Every structure is written in structure tokens, then in C-alpha cells.
Amino acid sequence: MSKKIAETKIEAKDLSVYYGAKQALHHISLSLLEREVTAFIGPSGCGKSTFLRSINRMNDLVPTARVTGNLSIDDVNIYDKSVDVVELRKRVGMVFQKSTPFPKSVYDNVAFGPRLNGITDRAELDRIVEESLINAALFNEVKDRLDASAMGLSGGQQQRLCIARAVAVNPSILLMDEPCSALDPISTAKVEELILELKKKYTIVIVTHNMQQAARVSEYTAFFYMGHLVEYDKTRKIFTNPSKKETEDYVTGRFG
Amino acid sequence: MEQATTPASPEQHSFIRKTNNIGERIIERGIRIIGGVAVVLIFLILLFVLREALPLLTGAFSQPKTAHGATTSSAAGDRTLKPEVYNPDVILSEQQAPEEFTPEVYNLDVSVPVTITANTTTTKEPDEGDHITLSNILGTIWQPVSTMPKFGIMPLVIGTAKTTFVAIFIGAPLGILAALYAAFFAPRRLREIMKPMVEILAGFPSVVIGFFCLLYVGSALQSLFGFQYRLNAFVGGIGLAIAVIPIVFTITEDALSAVPKSLLEASLAMGATQWESAYKVMLPAAFPGVFAAVLLGIGRAFGETMIALMATGNAAMVSASIGDPVRTFSATIGAEMGEVIWGSAHYSILFFLGVLLFVVSFTLNAVTELFIKERLAKKLQGG
């Protein structure tokens, strides 16, 4: 199964997240392995997205959000006071459910991150943009329209553009929040292929409502329910022989 | 699809028939009529302004009042124009007397005296009559009430341009930055207070702003920059900026808030700071709205009357310095329309200024509209 000695990349210890008085995550402890795809599944509102968004501290944007416990990346607690959130987010890329290309050209979208990092050399930017688009399996489709608006791309292309934009800054972790939920099956297949390709380089965490997708792309699966981590195991085990009754009910479609 | 819509029996179709709701019909009609009235009213106002300026445009005032005048007399029959004429005695005795000391005598009887007095005038200065020619309009002296009225609108054009530039160069950046602050940086409580406050400022009586500038801003700026004149284009521009800022702020803020929050999140998730996200992602995304805000701001600065009247010093002079007093289009109309002689050349040229104001505002709005449509279309469909 495991081709190398997997190292823990992200580790949560007793992580709880509150939105105001409401507790969205209850004492989550789990370790995600480096260069693996981990899928988070569970019914809506179960806390899987909340957990995902605590990994790059996007929850900080919610004024009422409060986090207790520990979440470390490469053994550094990212909720430590000394952590620079901006730097953290440069290392933890994120792809959203709704594709969010900026209303700029395709080129400028991908070059956005590198430019933030102070890269101004045109040749260097060209190289990064091309490489990122190739990595996102989009280059051949857009190579003749790099200067055209990204809003003119199809939904699937836009989503892959967002992936290209995210990998352009060379993050070590890629978070994906239901990246295919707005895409048609063909685009979905392309993105899934891409995920399998990208896991060679990145640690990927994907939230999905699509059981088949979780089964197809992930090595590990975590099942969340009502803000609790119910079960976390190899994907094959979750889908074939889960140890918890709730997990079985959910993955077989009996609820959720 | 054709098969699906096979004709059914009339009873089944009864629900398709329009319900005869009289109340709703009346409301619908009422709304339609009111909408129509609004459009017609605006059109009539435009027509009125155009009609009053028309004698000027058709050249009715360039009619010779003397035998040796070379210009056309085509419109002679259309309308009996009664040119304003000063008392010939006074003209002879006090050639350049200030207007206060020169009683105006309005000639009710057109036929005989006009010819005489006009003759007197033309013999004195053959090139400049009280008639309006293109060279007179494009002249650099605005002296509509005088023995030899001069209707040069150049000082007014320059004055309007100066105050508008000052207003927009101060007002637009401030308005946009304030909107950025309110949309992305201000704590929510502050934002909730800030927005209505600025919007109230948008409805602030301009006479109060004008008074404030007249009394305080003028003196303050004079001691700060050492202007020769207390009231000048810069003071007027500041006053107009006060009127422009709320407009730019409100529309920009609306445009920024209309940009999907997901873009902000995406940008922040890329590791952009709040400022970088606001400036590099949200502001460009809201660009059509921001552009509209600035254009509307220009329109306001351009058309604002009371502040311009009170704070600019109101001297129609040609000068490049923003420290010199100016007079704007709208202030000219505001100041002079009340005392102008009905139907005179002066009267017509004031309406002509009104037409110019309208044309510029209309152009601004049209540009805004077209530009935004185009930009939006480009953005949304990809170009």
C-alpha cells in the first residue's frame, strides 16, 4: 500500500473550533500524511470544511471564530502567536468550491501569487505560469489565450486555473473544498486526474460530497459527523469495512 | 416537444386565460403613466432650455441692426427680437462706466430707436456690437452687461475646468480610499456608522458647504499657501470636493461590496495581505463601478452651482493659476439669470451655457454607461 515511509504533515491535537457560542468542531485529533490525498467526507454542516479552513487559518476571517487546541504543520503550531498568517497561506494553497478566477487575464491570474512574492522578472514569470498551467493540465487549452480574460474560460477550465494559481506559489499543502461540485463529469474527471498527478508533489486534503470521488482519489478518508471525527482510516477500509456504524450508514447512502 | 403541446379541451385551458384583475391593471397603468410623465417632463425641460438658447444657435442675434452689417437676416420674420440698448446719452458721456451707474433702458418700441442707437454704437466701434458672433462667444472676456457686451465664454470654460479638476483630483482619491477602508478594513461597527454618515453628507445643503468654504476654508488656505485672493479656484475646488467625496465614496463602496466575497477569500488564501487583496483584486474587479463613481463625481463638480458661486471668487478671468478667482458655467447662470433681460442676447447665452452643461453631463453619463457595459461584457464573457 504505502510506497514510502509516510511522514505526518499536518497534525491536529484536540482541535476545537467555535463560531460564537456554537461549537463547530469537537476535540479533533488526527494526523495527515505527507504527499497523500486525504478526503474529508460527511453530511453538510458536519465540520469538514471548518477543519479544512483551519489548516490555512481562513477561519480567522470569521469575526466570531475561536480555535482551541493544537494544529501543527511540519511540527509547527500554526495557531502560535508568532506565526505569520500570510506566510502560512502562501505555503498552504486552497481551491474553493466555486471557482474564483480573478477578473484578470489567464496569465495575470497565475502570476498573481508569484508577483505577491516579489517576482517581477518577466521571463521568470513566464516560466512559472507555463509550468503551473502544465501542472494543472490546462496549458494546451489556454496557451493561445493567456492574455484573454479568465472569465471567458469554461467552468472546468476556471477551476483548473484556480489550481494552477494555487500551485504557482509552490505550496507544500493543497486544500480543496469540494473542487468538483460545480463541474460536469468530464471536467470532474480531469480535475481528479490532476489530483492524482499533484499528489506526487503536494499533500492534498479534499472535502467532497461525492463518495465515488473520495474512493477514487484518496488514500485516506476521514468521516466527520456533527462536528466530531467519527472515523479516520485508509479509504479502502472506510468504504469496504468501516468500524463504526455511522460511517457505514453514511457511505452506503442510508443517511446524509 | 411538438407532441407535448397537443391541444387540450377548452376547460383544461381555462387557467391560461388572463385573470381580469382590475385593481392590478389600474396600478399597472398608473405606474406606466407616471413613468411616462417623468420622461416627458425631462424632455420638455430639455426642449425649453434648447428653445431659449436657440436664437443664439440659429444666429438670430448676429442679425445686423444697422444697414452696413454684413451678417444674415434670415430669422428676421420668425421672432421679433428686442435687443437691449443703453441710453444713448449715457453712452456718449460715460463710455466705460460701471454697470451700476448705467441705467438700462429697455426699448419697447423696436422699430425706430433701435436703428438710431445701434447706429450710434456701430459708429463708435464697428467690430463689436451687442450682437453675438462666434468670435464674440469664443472671446476671453465675459462682460454680458455693459455698453458693449462681451460674451466670451472662455473664462467660464477655464474656470469650470479648473474647479472641476481640483475637485476631482482631491475628491476621487479620497472617496475611493475611504470606500476601500470602509469595505475591507473598518471594523463592522465603524462601517455601519461611517456609511450612513457619508451618505448624509451627500445630501448636505450645498449652500452650507459653500458658506463654510467662504468663511473658513478661504482664509485657512490663504494663510497656508499665500494666495493673492482669498476666494479662488482652489478654494472652490475644495468645496466641490466636499460635495464630490460622498458620491464617489457611496458608489465605489457599493461597487466594492458587490464584488463576490469569494474573490477576497481566494486572494487571501493565496497569501495576499488584506491591502493587497483590496488593491490588486477587489478594486480592479469593481473598476466599472469605480469609474462610474468618478464620472458622476465629475458631473456633480461640473454642475454644482451654489458652492461654485460662493467659494470661487466669481471673477471671470483667463488664468492658468489655481490661485486666481474663477467663475463657472453654473455659477454664471445662477448669478445672472435672475437679473437678465427676458429674451435678450444675454438671456439666450445663459441658456446656451445651460445647453453646454447639459451636453457635458449627458456625454459623461453616456460614456459611463457605454464604458461600463463594455467593460462588464468583456469581463463576464471574456474578451
Side-chain angles (χ1 to χ4, degrees), chain B residues 175-193:
Chain B
I176 292 171
L177 287 175
L180 274 176
Y181 174 73
F184 303 118
F185 298 95
R188 221 174 54 169
R189 288 295 290 272
L190 179 61
R191 185 186 164 198
E192 276 164 12
I193 301 168

Side-chain angles (χ1 to χ4, degrees), chain A residues 53 56 58 61 86 89-90 92-94 96 98 100-104 112-113 115-116 148-149 151-152 165-166 169, chain B residues 188 260 262-274 276-277 280-281 284-285 375 378-383:
Chain A
R53 293 164 70 90
N56 65 347
M58 287 302 278
L61 301 181
V86 168
R89 288 181 187 150
K90 281 178 181 163
V92 184
M94 189 166 195
F96 294 84
K98 198 174 157 283
T100 50
F102 301 138
K104 301 166 180 282
F112 183 77
R115 278 180 179 145
L116 285 181
S149 168
M151 310 308 276
R165 191 175 65 190
V169 290
Chain B
R188 221 174 54 169
S262 58
L263 282 188
L264 180 64
E265 281 205 336
S267 171
L268 290 172
M270 289 292 301
T273 61
Q274 186 83 7
E276 285 167 333
S277 306
K280 292 184 179 160
V281 175
R375 281 284 303 205
K378 249 192 190 166
K379 250 183 206 178
L380 297 178
Q381 291 144 26

Side-chain angles (χ1 to χ4, degrees), chain B residues 197-218:
Chain B
M197 289 288 276
V198 177
E199 273 159 14
I200 288 171
L201 190 62
F204 212 61
S206 52
V207 66
V208 179
I209 299 175
F211 190 59
F212 171 71
C213 291
L214 177 73
L215 276 188
Y216 298 106
V217 179

Side-chain angles (χ1 to χ4, degrees), chain A residues 49-236:
Chain A
S49 284
T50 301
F51 187 80
L52 192 77
R53 293 164 70 90
S54 1
I55 299 174
N56 65 347
R57 290 187 58 173
M58 287 302 278
N59 281 333
D60 290 13
L61 301 181
V62 182
T64 56
R66 195 159 55 81
V67 177
T68 63
N70 237 322
L71 185 74
S72 47
I73 294 175
D74 296 332
D75 295 325
V76 177
N77 181 14
I78 60 164
Y79 282 94
D80 194 87
K81 280 197 180 70
S82 62
V83 167
D84 181 358
V85 182
V86 168
E87 281 307 313
L88 167 75
R89 288 181 187 150
K90 281 178 181 163
R91 296 190 44 209
V92 184
M94 189 166 195
V95 177
F96 294 84
Q97 175 176 5
K98 198 174 157 283
S99 61
T100 50
F102 301 138
K104 301 166 180 282
S105 71
V106 172
Y107 185 96
D108 287 342
N109 261 281
V110 184
F112 183 77
R115 278 180 179 145
L116 285 181
N117 292 341
I119 299 174
T120 48
D121 179 42
R122 183 77 192 188
E124 174 79 354
L125 281 175
D126 285 348
R127 191 189 58 75
I128 294 173
V129 168
E130 183 174 336
E131 196 181 293
S132 307
L133 286 170
I134 290 172
N135 278 340
L138 188 63
F139 187 68
N140 286 332
E141 290 163 63
V142 297
K143 64 182 173 200
D144 299 325
R145 44 198 287 211
L146 289 177
D147 291 326
S149 168
M151 310 308 276
L153 301 180
S154 75
Q157 287 173 332
Q158 287 188 4
Q159 195 61 298
R160 277 179 286 146
L161 179 67
C162 291
I163 295 172
R165 191 175 65 190
V167 299
V169 290
N170 210 10
S172 58
I173 299 170
L174 206 51
L175 307 175
M176 297 183 157
D177 194 353
E178 300 180 44
C180 301
S181 66
L183 303 184
D184 65 79
I186 294 168
S187 303
T188 302
K190 279 188 180 159
V191 172
E192 285 179 8
E193 256 172 57
L194 179 58
I195 291 171
L196 291 174
E197 192 59 36
L198 290 172
K199 82 168 190 180
K200 291 174 190 161
K201 279 188 177 173
Y202 308 102
T203 305
I204 296 176
V205 186
I206 178 170
V207 165
T208 180
H209 278 289
N210 183 333
M211 296 302 126
Q212 286 78 23
Q213 184 170 63
R216 279 194 299 263
V217 301
S218 70
E219 195 71 20
Y220 290 87
T221 297
F223 172 58
F224 286 80
Y225 185 58
M226 305 274 281
H228 294 272
L229 176 66
V230 177
E231 193 169 350
Y232 172 52
D233 215 322
K234 286 245 162 65
T235 300
R236 184 177 299 174

